[in-house]
Structure formats: C-alpha cells, structure tokens
Amino acid sequence: MRVLVIGGGGREHAIIWKLRKDDPALEIFCAPGNAGIGKIARNVPIEAADVKNLARFAAENGVDLTVVGPEAALAAGVADEFAAKGLEIFGPTKAAARLESSKDFAKRFMRKYCVPTAGFETFDRARDALSYIREQKFPLVVKADGLAAGKGVAVCQSEAEAAGVLREVMEGRKFGDSGEKVVIEEFLEGKEATYMVFSDGETFLPMAGAHDYKRVFDGDLGGNTGGMGSVSPSPRFTAEIERTCLERIVRPTFDGLRREDILYAGVLYFELMLTPDGPKVIEYNCRFGDPETEAVIPRLKTGLLPVFTACARKRLGGIGLEWSDEASVCVMLASGGDPGEYKKGLEISGLGADFGEKTQVFHAGTAEKDGKTVTDGGRVLCVTALGKDAREARERAYEAARRIGFDGAHYRRDIGSEE
C-alpha cells in the first residue's frame, strides 16, 4: 500500500514513524518532508499548500491514502481537490477547516451551538477595535482571524499594549491577510489542556489527553510559539473533566457540524482552558496538534493506518483505540531568536547517538546540506521519551536533549515539571 503524508514538521515525522513501526513494508511518501523524515520515507518536493500538484502526484504514483498534517493545506482545500479526483484522503474539507482558518467563524459557531468559550467581539477596522478596547477590562486577548502558525494570539495586560498589537496586526500587516480581521476576547483564567478526536463525519473517537507549553521561556514567559513541548497523559485532564468535555463541548460541536451540513472527516483538536467554571474552548484546530502529536502518538498501541482508513471511509464505528500506560514527555529544541528572527543552515550535532528504544527524536525543522543535517526552521527537533511515569519520561527526554546541539539552540527546562 502507498501512503502520502502532507507536511514537513515534527507532527508529520511522528505520524510516519508510527506508520513505519506498524508496517515496515508500507511505501510512504512525504511532501515536502524534512531530513529526519527522509530517512524513513521518500520526500517529495511539493509544498503543503500546492494542492493541485499534490493531487497530481497522488494520482500519477498510485497513492492509496493521503494524510494531511498542516492547517495551510486544509485551508487551501486539499481534501476537496483530492475528493474531486476520486482520491482517498484523511482530512476535513475547506468548509470544515474554517473552524481553524477563521477564528471569527469558529467563535460564532460556538456561540450558535452553545459550546462554552470566552466572550468575544470581532472587528475588521482598526479604529473600531481601538475604540472597543478603551471600554474593556484587562487582561484581554487579541487574535488574528486567520492562520498565523500559532503566533497570532496576544494576551494584553493594558490598553496601550492591546493598541500596539492591533496596529501591528491590522495596520502593520504582521500576519498579512490573516490580520484583516481580529477577534478580541475576554481573558480566561485556568490551565490549558488538549483533547483530540478522530472523526469520520458520523462517529468520533477520542485520543489520550495532553497539554503543551506555548511560551518560549521557562515559567510560561516570553512570546507565543508553535509549542515548546508537551506531555501525555495530562494530569490536568481528569476523567471527570473528560466526561464534561464530551457532554458539553465535543458532542455539541459535532451536532452543530451536522446541522450545518458539514461533513467532518479527520482530526478535530479542542484547545481547552480549564476554568473554575468548567472547561471552555480556546480554539479549534482541524488537524493533529504540534507538539501534542509527538507526545500522544508514541503512546498509541493500535495501528494508525486502519484508523486513518476508517475515517476516510466512514467506518470509524468499528475501531477501538488502545493506549500504553506509560507517560510521554516531549521537549522542543528551537533556534536562537525563535519565535522571532533566527538563522538557518546551522549544523546539528549528536543525532547519531543511541538514545535507547524509549526515546525518539522527531525532526521539526531540518534539512540536508552537503551530507549534513542542518537547521531549517524555528522549532528544529522534538525529543520524546516514554517512562513508567512523567518523572522518568522527563529525565529521559532531557538526557537526550542535552546530547544534541547546534549554534544558538535553546529549550525550556520545565517541560513536565508540574507532573
């Protein structure tokens, strides 16, 4: 069987690693891939949002199933393009992906179907948004409406700070067209958690809980990143909270999608704030989270390909998921300067070390240059380790992280510390 995975980050590396572990004979392509993925799959030089060339490649190379990783491909309508050509794909349509590609759409959807979330208002003119914040209590949250690689959210402590963010996003075009509209939300107090579910449009199947660490520095300080690490299971996400989420958040969401006549096949990611009033949705993501996937997937004992195929063929009801009792902790090694400006092409050392069977290094932003593995992104490597508990997993992950290096490399030292 031939499988194409779209994307080139740590999430895609983890998915391909699991597919390869389940079935060493599987023929796997990845577009565009990275240096680590290239060692276990065939990289294809097609960008993730180039939907027409992706579909052409899949058709010409007899790909049986395509798995979509990044949000940009979904927002560009890759699932629609493949479906139009009769190609099987795991991932929601462009209409369904609006739950992530437009925060305004997602917030209005949640309001309509009574999904708990923060109060909000949306603005497409900077002067109206500036006028609004003068009457608000702080802190508050400013979000670019469109996709911004996990960096389009700012928690503002004062009117001056919020005004600066609004001008930067709406007038300075920091995120391009994604900032033409902004959502301004009330600030929610609590701890964050991640809940991902598989869906075939009729049935949904929850995954193990997790939570990530978005801020660049220890103690949740500094700017937002795509994620500096994650843990699974999350001690924050208790069985009681999970039952509440299923009843008040997950089921109402899928009921709402059906009422809107939106067929949702793929992964739906619920980013939650666990508030004193119960869990509330911060936002939806219409794909596997990153770096949560790098923590969750290594704990999955069930074969991954049958789950993908069942979602694509509306047969998820016949699937059950089995999870390891072990805990996982993943630590992200990032480029100096990330989430701002950073250098590329820096040689990475230590990747050839034997870290043991309980530790995996997933490549997030790497490339091959003159026979060497070099940095090629802000988040470079994700070190994931399993252990009998979070303490053991954390020790293994940090032991491996200390043995890998490149100029300017940095990582948080507190991933999993609360566990």
Side-chain angles (χ1 to χ4, degrees), residues 50 81 122 125-126 141 159 184-185 190 198 206 218 221 225 238 250 257 276 281 286 298 312 338 369 390 400 408:
D50 188 356
E81 182 73 18
T122 303
R125 293 193 300 182
V141 183
E159 181 184 330
I184 300 178
E185 294 183 353
F198 291 108
D218 290 7
L221 300 176
T225 71
T238 65
V250 179
L257 287 167
V281 177
C286 294
D338 183 67
K369 182 179 180 181

Side-chain angles (χ1 to χ4, degrees), residues 233-283:
S234 170
R236 305 171 182 175
F237 199 69
T238 65
E240 181 180 355
I241 289 175
E242 181 173 19
R243 285 193 294 271
T244 301
C245 285
L246 287 169
E247 179 184 344
R248 300 181 184 176
I249 292 174
V250 179
R251 287 194 177 93
T253 294
F254 282 104
D255 287 344
L257 287 167
R258 283 189 286 270
R259 291 176 187 173
E260 297 289 325
D261 199 25
I262 295 175
L263 176 67
Y264 196 101
V267 171
L268 186 55
Y269 165 127
F270 298 82
E271 185 174 350
L272 306 170
M273 185 66 79
L274 308 180
T275 77
D277 298 322
K280 296 184 179 183
V281 177
I282 300 173
E283 64 183 26

Side-chain angles (χ1 to χ4, degrees), residues 81-160:
E81 182 73 18
F82 272 60
K85 289 180 167 49
L87 300 168
E88 201 160 66
I89 189 165
F90 172 86
T93 63
K94 185 175 183 178
R98 288 184 68 199
L99 285 175
E100 179 171 8
S101 63
S102 172
K103 291 182 175 60
D104 176 53
F105 174 82
K107 296 293 286 190
R108 294 181 188 279
F109 175 92
M110 285 185 265
R111 177 185 283 170
K112 182 175 181 180
Y113 292 105
C114 301
V115 176
T117 188
F120 75 100
E121 294 293 340
T122 303
F123 300 91
D124 55 15
R125 293 193 300 182
R127 65 183 183 185
D128 293 338
L130 289 166
S131 177
Y132 175 77
I133 63 171
R134 296 189 188 104
E135 308 299 324
Q136 303 308 304
K137 295 180 180 179
F138 287 84
L140 56 70
V141 183
V142 177
K143 297 181 177 181
D145 175 59
L147 300 176
K151 301 173 184 178
V153 178
V155 179
C156 302
Q157 303 296 331
S158 67
E159 181 184 330

Side-chain angles (χ1 to χ4, degrees), residues 50-60 81-82 85 87:
D50 188 356
V51 299
K52 292 190 179 299
N53 279 323
L54 287 168
R56 185 178 297 113
F57 175 86
E60 291 176 353
E81 182 73 18
F82 272 60
K85 289 180 167 49
L87 300 168

Side-chain angles (χ1 to χ4, degrees), residues 377-417:
R379 296 187 301 162
V380 179
L381 298 164
C382 183
V383 181
T384 298
L386 295 170
K388 66 178 183 294
D389 53 29
R391 181 187 295 274
E392 184 175 87
R394 184 175 187 272
E395 289 174 355
R396 284 179 176 149
Y398 277 107
E399 180 184 0
R402 285 190 290 269
R403 298 167 68 184
I404 302 170
F406 52 89
D407 188 28
H410 75 94
Y411 53 87
R412 284 180 59 160
R413 267 72 174 178
D414 62 348
I415 305 300
S417 59

Side-chain angles (χ1 to χ4, degrees), residues 326-339:
E326 291 184 298
S328 65
V329 171
C330 79
V331 177
M332 188 70 70
L333 278 68
S335 296
D338 183 67

